[in-house]
Amino acid sequence: MTTATTLIPGLDEIVRGGDPKRRAEAARRISELFLQGAATFRADHVDLFDGVLTSLVPHAEFAARADLAERLSLLANAPRGLVGQLAHEDEIAIAGPLLRRSPVITEQVLIEIAATKGQGHLLAMSERPALSADLTDVIVRRGDRDVVRRAARNAGAQFSSSGYSTLIKRAGQDGVLTLAVGQRDDLSAEQLKDLLAGSIDVVRRRLFDVVKPARQSAIKRAMSEISGLTERVESQRDFAPAQRTVLALHRAGELNESALLGFAKSYKYEESVAALSAMTGVKIATLDRLIAGERYDPILIAGKAVGLEWATVRALILLRLGPNRVASPADIESARVNFARLMPSTAERVVGFWKLRPSG
């Protein structure tokens, strides 16, 4: 810091106890000195500037700090401590440029700011060229609509499984967010299905129109798989309430074998059929006709195709009989043996045939 000391006599005294005006002037002159020579400074030189400027810059005027932050945001060797200090400022005109693009601001600092600062800081951060999954976890949890939309449109953003789950839940009330999430290249087939299940038809059609051809094919497959959740069923039974219940479980990530077993044990026929439809991809009307028939084979086949345990299959067989009929122990044992012998590949082929059958 010999150059700085020569340029500003008494620098040590100013840093330790100078009045605010002298400190502000010293900050301006040393900042300019750094910016002029930044391209040639070694790391130890940058550290020396960092130590002095972090003490002086807080005394500089607002406009000076904002200008400094803008210029530092473009430097690959900007003083790391000073950058972190300015990025923590409440004034977004100062913190914003650094949060948007500074290459030296650390992941730890970004996460800390994302967890504590306001929406302006989160919005600026969501524009960075790259966002880690740890950072987007905080952004999608705390961000408002504009912040979350911007992050979802950021091709350099990564999202964890829980981050995507939060995005998809929020997209259920935000068609613009649905379009942004639906166009992401890293969206899995299962996540796409969850996204579509929670969206309305007009948004689905718009998404289909704007995505790449490969994603259009994926949308068609996903819609086919979730058709059992939303289809209109011609039946003497009213499946609409059950469909709503199953759809709510699906959106919450709680549609699983445990839920199906609970429905079956409670003799909730409509909910059981709707849940099994969602799990197999077979239309409700088709399953209703098969299960209501004279034989229990369709239950064995559907259960084997989706990997159900025998306890769940047994509960579905008893459900088919109803609470007022007693199952023969011999029939139950015969069903158990047949279920154990049934090959998953065979069951999957039959279920694939069921999917192609008309529901009317």
Side-chain angles (χ1 to χ4, degrees):
M1 292 303 294
T2 304
T3 305
T5 305
T6 302
L7 181 63
I8 307 176
L11 176 59
D12 291 341
E13 178 187 345
I14 293 172
V15 170
R16 287 196 301 269
D19 65 72
K21 288 186 178 180
R22 292 184 68 195
R23 288 187 177 188
E25 175 60 17
R28 184 191 66 77
R29 296 169 68 180
I30 295 177
S31 296
E32 196 60 41
L33 179 65
F34 174 78
L35 292 167
Q36 289 174 0
T40 63
F41 290 141
R42 300 196 310 265
D44 55 337
H45 292 155
V46 175
D47 290 342
L48 289 172
F49 274 101
D50 201 7
V52 174
L53 289 172
T54 53
S55 298
L56 294 176
V57 166
H59 300 279
E61 296 179 352
F62 170 83
R65 300 201 310 280
D67 178 69
L68 178 60
E70 183 72 40
R71 298 170 73 179
L72 289 176
S73 71
L74 303 172
L75 296 181
N77 67 336
R80 195 176 296 272
L82 178 61
V83 166
Q85 184 183 77
L86 292 170
H88 274 87
E89 292 224 18
D90 291 335
E91 293 289 347
I92 196 62
I94 296 172
L98 297 165
L99 294 175
R100 289 187 191 95
R101 56 180 172 268
S102 173
V104 306
I105 192 168
T106 66
E107 177 83 355
Q108 179 181 353
V109 168
L110 288 170
I111 292 175
E112 179 185 338
I113 293 173
T116 57
K117 294 295 184 178
Q119 298 303 314
H121 291 68
L122 291 170
L123 186 62
M125 204 176 297
S126 67
E127 298 177 11
R128 292 183 68 81
L131 298 170
S132 72
D134 288 339
L135 182 55
T136 57
D137 277 349
V138 183
I139 290 175
V140 299
R141 176 172 54 85
R142 295 194 66 238
D144 62 14
R145 183 188 65 181
D146 293 337
V147 168
V148 174
R149 286 177 176 179
R150 186 74 58 85
R153 287 195 294 262
N154 188 335
Q158 298 177 350
F159 294 94
S160 66
S161 296
S162 62
Y164 256 127
S165 177
T166 302
L167 274 181
I168 290 168
K169 287 180 181 178
R170 295 187 64 163
Q173 304 298 323
D174 185 347
V176 174
L177 181 58
T178 299
L179 296 178
V181 175
Q183 294 180 75
R184 292 191 58 83
D185 291 337
D186 57 348
L187 189 72
S188 71
E190 192 62 30
Q191 289 164 341
L192 175 62
K193 187 165 68 173
D194 291 343
L195 180 70
L196 293 170
S199 61
I200 60 178
D201 286 342
V202 66
V203 175
R204 292 171 177 172
R205 290 195 296 269
R206 176 59 180 156
L207 179 60
F208 185 84
D209 289 341
V210 299
V211 297
K212 301 173 183 176
R215 181 55 55 86
Q216 289 180 336
S217 299
I219 289 175
K220 289 180 179 178
R221 288 194 299 271
M223 290 307 302
S224 175
E225 291 176 12
I226 66 176
S227 61
L229 294 172
T230 56
E231 65 172 303
R232 296 184 62 181
V233 184
E234 297 297 330
S235 172
Q236 293 181 346
R237 296 177 179 269
D238 182 9
F239 282 93
Q243 286 177 284
R244 289 192 291 269
T245 298
V246 170
L247 181 57
L249 288 174
H250 178 74
R251 288 174 175 170
E254 298 174 358
L255 180 56
N256 49 36
E257 182 172 358
S258 176
L260 175 59
L261 178 59
F263 290 143
K265 283 186 172 180
S266 300
Y267 290 95
K268 295 182 177 180
Y269 180 88
E270 289 83 358
E271 287 82 355
S272 298
V273 172
L276 193 59
S277 169
M279 297 169 76
T280 60
V282 179
K283 292 182 181 298
I284 289 178
T286 301
L287 276 180
D288 182 31
R289 286 198 306 272
L290 290 168
I291 292 174
E294 294 298 322
R295 298 178 61 82
Y296 54 71
D297 302 61
I299 295 175
L300 304 185
I301 293 168
K304 182 67 72 169
V306 295
L308 296 182
E309 298 289 339
W310 164 246
T312 305
V313 174
R314 180 180 183 276
L316 289 169
I317 293 173
L318 297 178
L319 166 72
R320 170 179 166 273
L321 296 174
N324 298 321
R325 291 176 59 186
V326 178
S328 162
D331 287 344
I332 293 297
E333 176 60 16
S334 174
R336 187 193 66 78
V337 172
N338 289 337
F339 180 71
R341 290 174 176 172
L342 181 61
M343 297 296 293
S345 57
T346 301
E348 289 167 4
R349 284 196 297 272
V350 175
V351 167
F353 172 74
W354 289 347
K355 291 179 182 180
L356 298 176
R357 295 176 65 175
S359 59

